[in-house]
Amino acid sequence: MKQGFRQSMAWLHTWTGLLVGWVLLLIFMAGTASYYREEISRWMRPELPRNAVDADQAAANALAFLRERAPHAESWNVSLPDPRNPAMRTFWRNPESMAPPPADGGERRRRGGRFGDATLDPNTGREVSARDTRGGDFFYRLHFDLHYLPVLWARWIVGFCAMFMLVAIVTGVITHKKIFRDFFTFRPGKGLRSWLDFHNVSAVMALPYHAMITYTGIVTLMFLYLPWGVKAAYPDDEDAFFNDAFARLAEVQGPAAGRAPPLPLPIQQLLDSARRHWNGAQIAGFVVHRPGAANAVVDIQQRDGRRLSIDTPSLRYDAVSGALLGASPDAGGATRTRGVLYGLHLARFAEPGLRALFFLSGLAGCLMVASGVVLWAVKERPKHARAGKTGVGLRLVDALNIGTVAGLPIAFAAYFWGNRLLPLQLAGRPAAEADVFFCAWGAALLAALAWPRRAMWVAQLYLGAAAFALLPLLNALTTRTHLVAAIADGDWALAGFDLAMIGFGAMLACCAWRVQHWQPPPSAAQRKRRQHGAGEEARA
């Protein structure tokens, strides 16, 4: 470590950023895509309906479906459609006696077993035969579960990387004493100086966002990282802590008693009562506990709307009489603070303009991380050139840079290609789409490890550009929800996805062209020789 405070911070900034930089880039890219996970899910399920009726009619249609499909269920759960997701999701839990034992000794089957689910057309209440996919939820889960790893291990790794990121942000501000002046400085064609300028601009341009998203990301998993307070206060029932701390409705206790028609009151009556109680707030969905029993109850959840907090209130009604039985308690100061920080991280409150700003800030974070890991290699390369050979460390970093910075876009595009090209009836289709993502990324990494040269940068960037730019054409060849049809229908969520893919393809193609035609700036000795030669010619 170098002497002096600022030099020590620079050393710490370099290594905290480099050691986890490639995992951070995956987290940032997947998390940034998650701002539009509803729109991504819509594009990846083109069979879903485009228009939806009002929430009351959709709720009535859902209950009619559940009465027929799951009349003996212990509970029904309905997620109502919203402007970003016009489909309707239903879940139900059957009695234990209805769940057949697993054939392989593993978990019980979801469909036809203890649990069931269906996606419905809210206009008709009929089940939609849409392709099975995780859609945008894949990216959301990927950015903190890392897919293949055990969940706890993955979240510890993500938290570790987030802490390193937080340290890198603080030390970066300390290191660059002229950071805000440098924000307005970019000197292209200057080699190392250009990379440093680009890294500074991408960092400072969205610095508040970078600090917020990193800190709030740690807060979302704080009970995993700091569980001891909960264990000390609730040694026998940790679930009770979460009910108390997060102001939730108490769990429904006791078995079903007596019989009554499933939800004899019109659901519209209960939804209207909830809206009046919340001064007109929208409804996200509801859960019917013990449907068909005389002691059935209905829990109604408020939609996030424009609330900063992720914690939304709920009301509980008697399903037979319609009487209000209770409401979720008011949250305390600590719970409200945690809810707001969690809500800032997810940004569900964001309207289209603010959501786009979050997305662009996330892209700036991706550029910051990518330019940081590339900057280390650019700084180290002259040292290895003077030694006459490329060391193993630099070669490895070059390969990881190519396979991650240029390879991850290929993987993202491949995931969308897999959604359109995999057989619709393929068993385990969501897992197969995820496998396509990681196979494409793995191939990019292996190619980079085999040949970590500038030509590999160019090849992978052009491949990513083509994969993104051709997605709208693939969409037009395989579905009826292509770009022209979406624009004609005024469906700008679907049209925006295709246009965004063309935009990403164009940006990657521009980057590939720049890398392909890049020439290193002349060294000081070369500039001196040129000046000397020019002077000799002038005298002659």
Side-chain angles (χ1 to χ4, degrees):
M1 186 182 293
K2 304 233 180 143
Q3 298 300 318
F5 179 69
R6 184 167 284 113
Q7 290 78 11
S8 298
M9 292 298 100
W11 180 91
L12 188 59
H13 176 78
T14 297
W15 288 103
T16 53
L18 181 69
L19 292 177
V20 298
W22 304 284
V23 180
L24 273 176
L25 185 58
L26 172 65
I27 295 169
F28 253 94
M29 289 180 68
T32 300
S34 299
Y35 286 128
Y36 289 102
R37 63 173 172 161
E38 297 290 353
E39 289 76 10
I40 292 172
S41 296
R42 278 197 63 200
W43 187 89
M44 296 183 71
R45 305 187 81 182
E47 302 84 3
L48 293 179
R50 298 189 184 185
N51 301 312
V53 295
D54 62 79
D56 291 354
Q57 185 59 52
N61 291 339
L63 289 176
F65 171 84
L66 289 168
R67 290 189 186 102
E68 180 181 349
R69 175 63 67 86
H72 305 294
E74 294 178 348
S75 64
W76 297 335
N77 191 320
V78 177
S79 295
L80 295 173
D82 61 57
R84 296 180 63 204
N85 182 13
M88 182 165 54
R89 294 282 287 169
T90 59
F91 306 88
W92 59 90
R93 185 178 64 192
N94 291 317
E96 183 70 29
S97 59
M98 292 181 62
D104 58 356
E107 295 183 356
R108 299 181 184 272
R109 293 182 298 114
R110 184 174 181 82
R111 287 185 179 272
R114 184 80 196 276
F115 301 96
D117 65 88
T119 300
L120 307 183
D121 182 343
N123 303 287
T124 63
R126 296 173 183 168
E127 186 171 4
V128 179
S129 298
R131 65 191 67 196
D132 199 8
T133 178
R134 288 193 181 97
D137 289 337
F138 167 73
F139 297 124
Y140 173 70
R141 302 292 302 189
L142 176 64
H143 96 283
F144 60 89
D145 278 355
L146 304 180
H147 194 67
Y148 290 119
L149 295 180
V151 170
L152 288 179
W153 278 98
R155 295 183 182 184
W156 274 105
I157 291 171
V158 169
F160 181 81
C161 293
M163 287 301 301
F164 268 48
M165 176 71 176
L166 205 56
V167 171
I169 291 172
V170 174
T171 55
V173 173
I174 295 173
T175 300
H176 300 287
K177 59 182 178 179
K178 300 177 181 178
I179 189 169
F180 292 105
R181 191 188 74 177
D182 289 345
F183 170 65
F184 299 98
T185 304
F186 180 67
R187 289 156 283 192
K190 299 293 184 180
L192 176 61
R193 184 70 253 180
S194 298
W195 279 107
L196 184 58
D197 287 345
F198 183 78
H199 183 63
N200 288 340
V201 168
S202 60
V204 180
M205 185 166 52
L207 181 60
Y209 170 85
H210 300 327
M212 178 276 293
I213 207 68
T214 305
Y215 178 72
T216 56
I218 297 172
V219 169
T220 62
L221 299 173
M222 65 182 190
F223 295 112
L224 173 64
Y225 306 139
L226 300 170
W228 304 284
V230 178
K231 292 181 181 297
Y234 294 80
D236 301 322
D237 187 5
E238 292 185 19
D239 289 340
F241 162 77
F242 292 101
N243 288 333
D244 294 344
F246 299 150
R248 297 173 179 170
L249 288 170
E251 294 290 332
V252 175
Q253 303 292 334
R259 297 303 301 171
L263 214 62
L265 289 173
I267 186 63
Q268 294 90 333
Q269 180 178 331
L270 300 182
L271 297 181
D272 284 340
S273 174
R275 292 190 191 97
R276 287 193 298 272
H277 189 276
W278 290 324
N279 299 317
Q282 295 183 350
I283 308 298
F286 57 91
V287 181
V288 182
H289 299 278
R290 303 184 293 238
N295 60 343
V297 295
V298 180
D299 293 345
I300 300 177
Q301 298 97 27
Q302 186 182 124
R303 192 176 297 286
D304 295 324
R306 297 184 179 181
R307 295 169 58 95
L308 283 177
S309 176
I310 193 65
D311 300 320
T312 55
S314 301
L315 297 174
R316 176 165 292 165
Y317 289 90
D318 187 300
V320 177
S321 67
L324 179 62
L325 301 179
S328 53
D330 291 334
T335 299
R336 289 176 185 269
T337 302
R338 182 257 182 193
V340 168
L341 292 176
Y342 207 135
L344 281 171
H345 192 80
L346 298 184
R348 291 179 183 172
F349 58 86
E351 294 296 318
L354 183 57
R355 186 175 302 279
L357 184 59
F358 269 85
F359 181 76
L360 292 174
S361 298
L363 289 181
C366 297
L367 294 174
M368 175 187 66
V369 176
S371 60
V373 293
V374 171
L375 178 60
W376 186 90
V378 172
K379 290 175 65 175
E380 289 295 311
R381 190 162 289 111
K383 302 176 186 177
H384 291 257
R386 287 193 294 270
K389 63 177 183 178
T390 301
V392 176
L394 178 59
R395 182 182 176 88
L396 177 61
V397 170
D398 278 336
L400 290 173
N401 286 346
I402 298 171
T404 304
V405 176
L408 270 177
I410 296 173
F412 274 70
Y415 178 68
F416 300 131
W417 278 73
N419 175 261
R420 288 298 189 258
L421 296 179
L422 289 174
L424 296 183
Q425 304 305 321
L426 178 67
R429 200 172 186 279
E433 290 178 353
D435 291 341
V436 170
F437 177 95
F438 285 101
C439 285
W441 188 21
L445 283 168
L446 288 175
L449 286 167
W451 196 28
R453 297 289 186 269
R454 179 156 50 130
M456 182 58 67
W457 273 107
V458 175
Q460 293 202 17
L461 287 170
Y462 272 131
L463 179 58
F468 274 113
L470 292 175
L471 264 174
L473 176 61
L474 176 67
N475 185 35
L477 294 174
T478 54
T479 74
R480 296 180 180 178
T481 59
H482 52 81
L483 177 60
V484 176
I487 293 176
D489 292 343
D491 194 338
W492 289 104
L494 293 180
F497 183 94
D498 279 353
L499 292 173
M501 296 304 100
I502 295 172
F504 283 127
M507 286 189 288
L508 288 172
C510 180
C511 291
W513 187 89
R514 295 276 304 190
V515 173
Q516 185 179 14
H517 294 87
W518 177 80
Q519 294 294 331
S523 64
Q526 290 172 329
R527 289 196 300 270
K528 185 177 292 185
R529 284 196 297 269
R530 289 180 183 178
Q531 292 172 356
H532 180 72
E536 291 291 335
E537 290 178 2
R539 285 192 294 271

